[in-house]
Amino acid sequence: MMKKNIRFFFACGTIMLLSEIWKQYCITFLINEHAYDWWHFPFQLCSVPMYLCLLLPFVPEDIQEIFLTFLMTFGMMGGIFTFFDTSGMHYPYAPLTAHSYLWHVLLVIIGAIAGICLNKSGCSPKSPLRKFSGSACCYLICCAIATVFNIIFHPYGDINMFYISPYYAMGQKVFRKIALLCGNTAGIFIYIAASLAGAYMIFLIWNKGRSTENQH
C-alpha cells in the first residue's frame, strides 16, 4: 500500500484519538461532575476504526488489507446507519453533539477512501467470501472483547459496548422488537448476524466495483 495512504489513515486515527480524549474529558468533568460514565467508554463499533487507523502503519500488508476491508464495510456501515437513529448522538453540551456528527461523517469518508485504496491495490485474487472473512473475524473478536468489557465493568456503572451487554435489553431499532419476541440473547445474536450480513453486502458492492475496474 502506498505510504501516503497509510499516512492519511494514521492522521485520521490521531485526530480521532485526540478528539476522543477531549470527549472523555468533557463528559467526565463538564457533564458528570467528575464521575466517569462507563456508557461512553470508547469501544463501540464506531470507535474501532480509530484503533485500526492508528495500528495500520505497524502491521504487515495482509493485516492492512483486513483492517481496510473492515473500515470500508463495518466502519462505513456504522457511520451510515447511526444517522437512522441519531438519539445517541445528542449531548447537553453542544460541541459534543457536533463532534458526534462529525465523527460518523468521518467514518463514511474513511470507509470510502479504504474502498478506493483496496480497489487500486491489486491484491491477490480470492473469492469474495474469503476476502471478507478476515474483517468478519476482526468484528467477531471485537464483539468478544466488548462482551468482556460489559461483564467486567458492569459493577462500576452502566456499560453496553456494541449494544450486546447481557445486562440490558436490546435497544437498537428493529432488533429490540425482535428481542422482545425471541428473547434478549437471541436478539443479540440476530443483531450480530445482521451486522455481518450488512457489512458483507457493502463488501460485495465494493468488490463488484473492483472487478469492473480490473476488467478495464
Side-chain angles (χ1 to χ4, degrees):
M1 189 191 306
M2 296 178 65
K3 289 185 177 180
K4 66 178 181 180
N5 294 329
I6 291 289
R7 287 197 294 268
F8 166 78
F9 291 111
F10 185 74
C12 288
T14 302
I15 292 169
M16 294 169 85
L17 175 62
L18 294 174
S19 71
E20 182 62 39
I21 293 171
W22 169 81
K23 172 186 172 182
Q24 297 294 322
Y25 172 85
C26 290
I27 291 174
T28 303
F29 296 101
L30 301 183
I31 297 178
N32 290 333
E33 300 179 348
H34 296 220
Y36 187 72
D37 188 349
W38 287 96
W39 194 266
H40 296 285
F41 185 76
F43 199 77
Q44 296 286 11
L45 174 60
C46 294
S47 307
V48 173
M50 172 180 70
Y51 302 113
L52 299 189
C53 285
L54 290 171
L55 288 172
L56 265 175
F58 309 105
V59 297
E61 286 191 10
D62 55 340
I63 303 300
Q64 287 178 352
E65 184 178 355
I66 289 172
F67 284 2
L68 288 176
T69 303
F70 186 101
L71 293 173
M72 82 170 187
T73 53
F74 291 98
M76 177 175 279
M77 180 179 67
I80 292 172
F81 280 96
T82 299
F83 288 99
F84 287 90
D85 181 7
T86 61
S87 58
M89 298 169 67
H90 294 265
Y91 296 84
Y93 184 50
L96 283 176
T97 301
H99 170 269
S100 185
Y101 276 85
L102 290 172
W103 182 285
H104 291 89
V105 169
L106 182 58
L107 290 184
V108 177
I109 294 172
I110 289 174
I113 300 298
I116 293 170
C117 289
L118 284 172
N119 281 1
K120 294 181 177 180
S121 67
C123 298
S124 58
K126 306 172 188 173
S127 69
L129 186 58
R130 188 177 172 193
K131 284 188 289 186
F132 177 72
S133 62
S135 62
C137 288
C138 183
Y139 171 71
L140 292 174
I141 290 170
C142 288
C143 286
I145 295 172
T147 299
V148 171
F149 286 158
N150 289 334
I151 294 171
I152 290 178
F153 297 124
H154 175 69
Y156 305 103
D158 295 330
I159 181 170
N160 192 6
M161 300 297 94
F162 276 52
Y163 303 105
I164 58 172
S165 171
Y167 301 107
Y168 299 97
M170 173 62 65
Q172 299 292 80
K173 279 187 174 180
V174 179
F175 296 99
R176 60 189 172 203
K177 295 180 180 178
I178 294 174
L180 286 173
L181 291 173
C182 305
N184 201 56
T185 301
I188 288 173
F189 281 105
I190 292 171
Y191 172 71
I192 292 173
S195 298
L196 288 165
Y200 187 55
M201 291 298 295
I202 294 174
F203 174 81
L204 290 177
I205 293 171
W206 278 107
N207 193 65
K208 184 176 181 180
R210 184 190 304 193
S211 299
T212 302
E213 284 191 9
N214 290 340
Q215 289 175 1
H216 293 293

